[in-house]
């Protein structure tokens, strides 16, 4: 028991920053945001560790960890998830409503179109065939295939 108490009495700014760093690395590996909040609590505890003793440091760490987890999960996490619908890394979503040029004639409603310097697999909305060189408008997406209309 004396070993544990002497270890706890040795807690200082650098120990708390080390704990925060380890927790942040664990957060980076998991990506869940649940480990982020105890890491933030450890960082804040590091800032005040020079002014209080170890029992109060542990209480502050535990209290802030719970508070940060509750408020972070309630207010921050929904905003992070809202950014997932931004269209980032989904280049095809920006093509909706854009004009494309038919590269090769459509057969059975399927063919290839060009937008800028990229060719896309495409099919027509109504299954009609388009002639090479004609233009069409992107109406929807089906995975990586564009659905176009004349």
């Amino acid at each position: 028991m004396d070993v544990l108490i002497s270890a706890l009495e040795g807690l200082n700014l650098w120990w708390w920053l080390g704990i925060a760093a380890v927790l942040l690395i664990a957060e980076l590996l998991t990506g869940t945001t649940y480990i982020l909040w105890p890491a933030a609590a450890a960082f804040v505890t590091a800032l005040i560790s020079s002014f209080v003793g170890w029992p109060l440091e542990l209480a502050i760490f535990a209290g802030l960890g719970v508070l940060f987890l509750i408020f972070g999960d309630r207010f921050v996490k929904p905003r992070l998830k809202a950014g997932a619908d931004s269209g980032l890394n989904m280049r095809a979503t920006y093509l909706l409503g854009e004009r494309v040029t038919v590269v090769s004639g459509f057969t059975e409603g399927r063919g290839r179109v060009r937008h800028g310097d990229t060719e896309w697999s495409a099919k027509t909305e109504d299954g009609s065939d388009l002639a090479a060189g004609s233009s069409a408008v992107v109406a929807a997406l089906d995975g990586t295939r564009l659905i176009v209309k004349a």
Side-chain angles (χ1 to χ4, degrees):
M1 189 63 144
D2 291 334
V3 174
L4 179 61
I5 290 177
S6 65
L8 289 173
E9 287 174 348
L11 285 176
N12 60 22
L13 168 85
W14 300 109
W15 277 104
W16 286 110
L17 289 177
I19 292 169
V22 168
L23 290 171
L24 282 175
I25 290 169
E27 174 58 41
L28 288 173
L29 294 174
T30 61
T32 61
T33 71
Y34 288 114
I35 304 173
L36 178 65
W37 312 120
F43 180 75
V44 172
T45 304
L47 295 177
I48 60 173
S49 66
S50 299
F51 307 109
V52 296
W54 68 266
L56 194 53
E57 288 177 26
L58 292 178
I60 289 170
F61 174 68
L64 287 177
V66 170
L67 283 174
F68 287 172
L69 180 63
I70 291 169
F71 287 111
D73 195 45
R74 173 163 282 177
F75 298 111
V76 176
K77 198 167 186 178
R79 286 182 175 81
L80 291 175
K81 286 188 176 184
D85 297 332
S86 67
L88 184 64
N89 294 331
M90 294 177 55
R91 184 174 160 205
T93 58
Y94 295 109
L95 293 175
L96 292 175
E98 291 286 317
R99 286 215 167 272
V100 292
T101 305
V102 177
V103 175
S104 58
F106 278 48
T107 55
E108 299 178 5
R110 297 178 185 270
R112 296 197 60 80
V113 295
R114 176 181 297 275
H115 181 270
D117 61 350
T118 307
E119 284 190 19
W120 296 83
S121 175
K123 66 181 182 180
T124 53
E125 275 184 324
D126 56 1
S128 62
D129 293 336
L130 301 174
S134 63
S135 68
V137 176
V138 178
L141 302 170
D142 180 23
T144 58
R145 178 175 291 150
L146 302 179
I147 300 174
V148 297
K149 58 184 176 183

